[in-house]
Amino acid sequence: MWWFGTTCAGCGTRLAMRTDEGFCAGCAPALESAERWLSVTTLPVAAGWAYTGPLQAWIGRCKQGIFSDPQFLLPPVHRLLRQLTQTGAVTLVAIPPERTRLRARGMHLPDVLVDQLRGRNAKRGWLLERLDRAPVRRERMRTPPVLRARASGELPPVVLVDDVVTTGQTLTTALEALRQVGQPVRAAICLADARPQILAEILSQGTR
Ligand SMILES: [Zn+2]
């Protein structure tokens, strides 16, 4: 799949040339890769990018419905997945969206990520269902999602896929739901890491 941008995915500036990079010359160097495993409770969690700068802007635009193909952001996420599949197949499970938000946006980034990451050793599994339907308002942002897991039978261990990890609360909820039905969960990989410890570590190395 090819993505030819006409505007920068970070700042929206019109790009002079066709590109498969997605970001302008000003935004591209400001991308901060993450690729650091830091467990949330017992779950190893890593993301391709730090949730900052142009990447944060890109995700913000996606959530407003201005969506561009994330292909150009996937290499570090693919590397994380390859680390996990070296020892065997996994089942990719996207964190499902709250339903009214999905209707409003028409796309769901974790689903798109799973679609692009899946392969021979990483098949997609539909094991999680979201039960809370009320619109997420600012004051309710800390309310954990309500997730129900389906028993899978004999699927390989799950790798959860989400767009942004902030506190890990959603991932922990998904982990607990899957373990309750006897489904092993191996790790979680996300597009962007917003955890303070990770951001502090990455941004403190920012003098390049
Ligand atoms: Zn830009």
Side-chain angles (χ1 to χ4, degrees):
M1 189 190 298
W2 300 95
W3 184 85
F4 295 108
T6 53
T7 59
C8 169
C11 66
T13 300
R14 197 165 177 81
L15 297 173
M17 285 186 296
R18 284 189 144 200
T19 174
D20 57 4
E21 295 288 314
F23 288 105
C24 72
C27 286
L31 285 170
E32 300 279 359
S33 71
E35 294 188 69
R36 287 158 167 79
W37 293 98
L38 175 67
S39 290
V40 171
T41 61
T42 59
L43 183 73
V45 179
W49 303 94
Y51 187 63
T52 182
L55 194 277
Q56 185 176 3
W58 182 83
I59 288 176
R61 289 156 73 85
C62 281
K63 291 193 168 174
Q64 291 163 24
I66 307 165
F67 181 67
S68 53
D69 193 322
Q71 187 80 19
F72 62 99
L73 293 168
L74 289 182
V77 189
H78 268 294
R79 282 195 290 274
L80 294 168
L81 181 59
R82 271 201 299 277
Q83 291 172 25
L84 296 173
T85 53
Q86 265 166 11
T87 51
V90 300
T91 304
L92 297 175
V93 174
I95 297 295
E98 189 280 310
R99 291 174 190 211
T100 47
R101 289 179 87 189
L102 180 63
R103 266 203 298 280
R105 291 207 301 269
M107 58 74 62
H108 181 55
L109 193 47
D111 278 330
V112 176
L113 293 171
V114 166
D115 219 44
Q116 300 210 359
L117 290 170
R118 68 202 166 101
R120 197 161 44 89
N121 288 323
K123 298 260 165 59
R124 176 173 208 148
W126 302 92
L127 301 183
L128 286 177
E129 182 186 1
R130 187 107 177 212
L131 301 180
D132 48 326
R133 300 185 186 205
V136 177
R137 295 189 195 88
R138 196 166 290 276
E139 66 271 19
R140 296 180 59 242
M141 288 296 274
R142 285 171 178 274
T143 309
V146 182
L147 296 168
R148 181 165 62 198
R150 274 185 285 273
S152 68
E154 297 297 315
L155 289 183
V158 162
V159 172
L160 295 166
V161 177
D162 206 356
D163 46 7
V164 183
V165 50
T166 308
T167 62
Q169 190 181 43
T170 300
L171 296 172
T172 306
T173 306
L175 172 71
E176 286 165 1
L178 286 161
R179 285 189 174 162
Q180 269 174 22
V181 297
Q183 173 62 48
V185 181
R186 179 92 189 281
I189 52 177
C190 304
L191 184 63
D193 210 318
R195 290 175 289 177
Q197 191 178 336
I198 293 281
L199 287 179
E201 189 192 325
I202 289 167
L203 297 176
S204 71
Q205 299 165 349
T207 46
R208 288 168 303 169

